[in-house]
Amino acid sequence: MIAEVGLAALWLAAALAALQMVAGFLAVRAGDETELAGLIRPAAVVQGVLVSISFVMLLWLFAVTDLSVKLVVANSHSMKPLVFKIAGAWGNHEGSMLLWVTVMALAGALIALVERRLPERTMQATLAAQGVVSLGFYAFLLFSSNPFERLPTPAAEGMGLNPLLQDLGLAFHPPTLYLGYVGLSVAFSFAVGALLTRQVTPDFARAMRPWVLGAWVFLTVGITAGSYWAYYELGWGGWWFWDPVENASLMPWLAATALLHSASVLASRDALRVWTIMLGVVAFSMSMVGTFLVRSGILTSVHAFAVDPERGSFILMLLTLYIGGALLLFSLRAGTVSEGERFAVASREGALVFNNVMLSAILAIVLLGTLYPLVTEAFDVRVSVGPPYFNPVGAIFTVPMLVVMAVGPLLRWRRDRLDRVRNEIAIIAALTLAAIVLFSLVAQVELLPLLGLALGLAVGVGSLLPLRGRKLTRVPIATWGMVVAHFGIAVALLGMASESAFSKERLAAVEIGQSTTVGPWTITLQGVEPVAGPNWTAIEGRMAASYAGGEPTIIDPQARNFWAPPQQTTESALVTRWNGQLYAVMGDRAPDGRWQLRLWWKPFVPLIWLGGLLVAFGGVLALVGRVLADLKRREVVRRMASRRAEQEKLA
């Protein structure tokens, strides 16, 4: 009965999305209020409630391991811990799509409830566009990927969840990314609504900006968490592999970063109108492209856990419909939207536009490198594209972007002179040059890591300079957000460059009681024992790790074997210090009785993820600051209107 309730709620939600779409477009076409117009906001709210009920029903089915439901049987097992049973609800094709449409419907409901800044006609067009996007995903679920499908006969036991997904880090990683993707779908709906009514105004940007900021924060957290999960769970010791699925999350983040800055310029200075609309379309396009790559099985990846070429075709059709339609609308209406206020090249707007172009170029490079193997395979030529392409080609545009990023926040809006900030530029340049000379002489670092270290210092200092001479307690929260986010980029960059420049690796085969070294660490294998968990067994190594002859720390990496489904995984052991991380992986036993160990010493590698969290925290501060500023602006407008009404009444 639970499954039937969930399916019925999903059908009703789809019907309301159709009503929201039809009523919205009819209202926009009529040009004024119609009888149907009054149904748009209620339809969006009730749709959000119904699809939430549907998703809760799916969570319940997984929590109780209802083995009469096909999806539960394929992705769960009665012996799994409860948290991974629940995570199994979105660790598959159907459940993840239901999660997507649930978050999208809740976002639409929130817009319908709280958004009052936009003209009503633009709001109707926005909710109608949101209805179109939602309806496509409802159709996908109901006609191609029903999550509530029953089996003719209940199964005796489930097939289990991919062991790599049975980790707390990845249990919460997909929902975080989906929140980001859905936030960009809202920005897309705003862009389409503004195009339909030709009302691309600062109010439009202020209404869209919190959604872009929220999406950007969740994407940042999701990418950071996914990177750390791959680092410690896959046992390969790396944090980014330029894997197609990794790229699928990076591309929307790049587009969202450009959109975020462009929307801020439009909201504050009434400029970059067409560019903002275009980025709104591109950002959601990258979300759809990423979804297609992850779910279609068209590209091979260690991260692609729920692939299906047949249903991937459905997503491709949706992608073509949404993006093709939006681009057609853009081509027809963009010429009727004025560009807005002009600004000088030497200005903060100029710096933002330059970096937006650089971000767009990096996005194009990542997209090309991700799709190129697919194109060549069509001609029966198999190639792989990895760091030898992405790192140097991406650096061509990343380096100038970081240079401008260090200086841009120091410039004034509209028009400025570089000689006004020559002292700050001199400080940044001197530090960059000093870092290059120091690391070249002392550590003989290669070119790209060397540039990374130097630019990390430059961006770090440049991000703090806007606070110089100001009373910190009076700095707006949104400005703090910018400072923290830019500083987080610098911290992450220093971590990446340090890991690349200074890492040490050791592959060793040792007997119990023997020691080996990696960097300043000495590791002694004290023993190897079998251990068991709720749904796995493992070989666990007990090691004593000593840094520079100090007191040893006991670590215990494991090689686990799951039985449902059968699969071996590695559980690395990490020791974190202020200056880096020791990374140990337990290998197999060699024929001569020795145990294989993989050890890395990675100086300052935690800065990568600390920087990512700082970037996300900066986004949260900016979001809070913008929301408070908007509320304050609304209150001022309300008071002015009230005072004007009183004066007219007295007159």
Side-chain angles (χ1 to χ4, degrees):
M1 188 63 184
I2 296 295
E4 285 69 28
V5 171
L7 185 60
L10 195 59
W11 273 103
L12 289 173
L16 286 173
L19 173 62
Q20 178 181 323
M21 176 188 71
V22 173
F25 285 132
L26 287 177
V28 172
R29 185 176 181 183
D32 55 13
E33 291 289 331
T34 67
E35 292 182 357
L36 283 175
L39 297 175
I40 301 171
R41 288 181 187 262
V45 174
V46 178
Q47 181 202 155
V49 173
L50 284 170
V51 75
S52 297
I53 292 173
S54 181
F55 187 67
V56 169
M57 295 300 104
L58 185 67
L59 292 178
W60 180 264
L61 292 171
F62 270 88
V64 300
T65 319
D66 187 335
L67 296 174
S68 68
V69 177
K70 183 179 178 181
L71 190 65
V72 177
V73 173
N75 297 280
S76 192
H77 191 284
S78 61
M79 296 294 289
K80 279 197 314 182
L82 179 61
V83 64
F84 297 132
K85 287 183 180 178
I86 295 174
W90 56 77
N92 58 78
H93 197 89
E94 293 84 352
S96 61
M97 288 297 104
L98 180 56
L99 173 61
W100 175 301
V101 80
T102 300
V103 179
M104 189 186 302
L106 287 174
L110 188 60
I111 293 171
L113 284 172
V114 306
E115 182 52 57
R116 294 290 186 273
R117 283 167 292 191
L118 291 179
E120 189 59 23
R121 191 160 170 261
T122 303
M123 176 51 59
Q124 291 164 350
T126 299
L127 288 176
Q130 187 79 355
V132 173
V133 177
S134 299
L135 196 58
F137 282 96
Y138 284 125
F140 177 71
L141 283 167
L142 293 170
F143 300 122
S144 175
S145 302
N146 178 10
F148 299 104
E149 183 179 350
R150 294 276 191 187
L151 291 171
T153 305
E157 188 50 272
M159 299 170 64
L161 180 67
N162 187 321
L164 290 176
L165 297 177
Q166 296 182 42
D167 178 85
L168 278 179
L170 205 66
F172 298 102
H173 163 64
T176 312
L177 280 182
Y178 282 178
L179 287 169
Y181 286 168
V182 172
L184 294 181
S185 79
V186 175
F188 172 81
S189 298
F190 271 102
V192 172
L195 274 177
L196 286 172
T197 59
R198 298 184 178 87
Q199 291 176 325
V200 185
T201 63
D203 280 339
F204 152 76
R206 292 188 193 104
M208 183 175 71
R209 184 167 54 184
W211 294 98
V212 180
L213 257 173
W216 184 77
V217 168
F218 281 115
L219 281 175
T220 305
V221 172
I223 292 171
T224 303
S227 168
Y228 194 58
W229 167 83
Y231 171 74
Y232 72 75
E233 181 65 22
L234 296 183
W236 62 302
W239 54 274
W240 196 264
F241 189 63
W242 293 108
D243 178 273
V245 176
E246 293 174 340
N247 296 346
S249 63
L250 178 63
M251 290 187 289
W253 185 87
L254 291 168
T257 305
L259 173 61
L260 179 61
H261 290 90
S262 181
S264 294
V265 173
L266 176 54
S268 304
R269 305 293 160 181
D270 195 14
L272 302 179
R273 292 179 178 176
V274 177
W275 183 245
T276 302
I277 293 290
M278 185 66 189
L279 286 175
V281 175
V282 170
F284 181 59
S285 303
M286 292 301 103
S287 296
M288 291 296 296
V289 168
T291 304
F292 171 68
L293 291 176
V294 173
R295 300 298 175 193
S296 65
I298 199 167
L299 289 173
T300 302
S301 164
V302 295
H303 302 283
F305 301 110
V307 298
D308 187 324
E310 183 178 342
R311 287 177 290 188
S313 302
F314 202 119
I315 297 176
L316 182 61
M317 184 184 71
L318 290 180
L319 190 154
T320 306
L321 177 67
Y322 294 156
I323 308 309
L327 290 177
L328 177 62
L329 179 64
F330 181 82
S331 65
L332 294 174
R333 294 292 179 91
T336 65
V337 178
S338 62
E339 187 51 47
E341 299 294 330
R342 295 185 177 277
F343 50 84
V345 173
S347 64
R348 189 176 294 189
E349 293 98 324
L352 288 170
V353 168
F354 178 84
N355 275 0
N356 269 5
V357 172
M358 294 297 104
L359 282 167
S360 301
I362 297 168
L363 171 60
I365 288 167
V366 177
L367 181 63
L368 177 64
T370 305
L371 297 181
Y372 183 70
L374 178 65
V375 175
T376 59
E377 192 170 337
F379 297 96
D380 203 23
V381 177
R382 293 182 180 274
V383 299
S384 62
V385 180
Y389 161 75
F390 288 106
N391 289 345
V393 179
I396 294 173
F397 300 96
T398 304
V399 170
M401 181 187 73
L402 292 172
V403 171
V404 173
M405 180 180 160
V407 178
L410 303 172
L411 299 174
R412 291 172 175 162
W413 295 103
R414 302 283 189 215
R415 183 180 298 277
D416 203 351
R417 304 185 322 275
L418 289 178
D419 60 346
R420 189 188 62 80
V421 292
R422 60 179 178 275
N423 292 337
E424 289 84 351
I425 293 176
I427 293 172
I428 295 171
L431 282 172
T432 305
L433 186 61
I436 290 175
V437 173
L438 177 66
F439 289 116
S440 298
L441 295 178
V442 175
Q444 296 182 343
V445 180
E446 294 182 359
L447 178 60
L448 281 183
L450 181 63
L451 284 175
L453 290 167
L455 288 171
L457 287 173
V459 173
V461 173
S463 64
L464 298 177
L465 284 177
L467 300 176
R468 194 176 67 153
R470 301 177 69 171
K471 191 172 183 179
L472 298 184
T473 55
R474 303 192 67 176
V475 173
I477 296 176
T479 302
W480 274 111
M482 177 196 73
V483 170
V484 172
H486 285 195
F487 189 73
I489 293 287
V491 171
L493 186 60
L494 286 171
M496 296 171 196
S498 297
E499 194 271 346
S500 178
F502 308 123
S503 282
K504 304 291 183 185
E505 180 178 4
R506 170 64 58 88
L507 304 177
V510 298
E511 295 179 353
I512 293 176
Q514 282 188 330
S515 300
T516 186
T517 60
V518 57
W521 289 88
T522 300
I523 294 91
T524 303
L525 180 63
Q526 295 184 332
V528 178
E529 298 178 349
V531 294
N535 57 341
W536 50 264
T537 58
I539 295 296
E540 181 178 281
R542 179 179 173 83
M543 305 176 192
S546 175
Y547 180 84
E551 287 294 317
T553 301
I554 302 301
I555 57 176
D556 48 4
Q558 297 176 344
R560 288 184 181 176
N561 283 286
F562 289 78
W563 59 78
Q567 186 172 332
Q568 186 180 64
T569 66
T570 58
E571 300 297 317
S572 59
L574 306 176
V575 181
T576 303
R577 287 173 46 86
W578 69 269
N579 60 341
Q581 208 165 48
L582 173 68
Y583 188 111
V585 173
M586 190 73 196
D588 297 328
R589 191 174 192 180
D592 61 2
R594 294 184 299 171
W595 290 91
Q596 296 174 348
L597 308 180
R598 297 192 69 183
L599 306 166
W600 286 271
W601 166 238
K602 295 175 174 292
F604 300 106
V605 70
L607 292 182
I608 296 174
W609 303 290
L610 175 62
L613 294 178
L614 280 174
V615 173
F617 181 60
V620 172
L621 287 178
L623 179 60
V624 171
R626 297 301 181 192
V627 170
L628 291 178
D630 282 346
L631 290 175
K632 188 176 180 181
R633 186 181 297 108
R634 283 197 223 182
E635 180 62 20
V636 170
V637 171
R638 188 191 66 78
R639 288 183 180 177
M640 291 177 62
S642 176
R643 190 174 303 169
R644 192 179 303 115
E646 288 179 2
Q647 289 175 346
E648 289 176 354
K649 189 176 179 181
L650 290 174

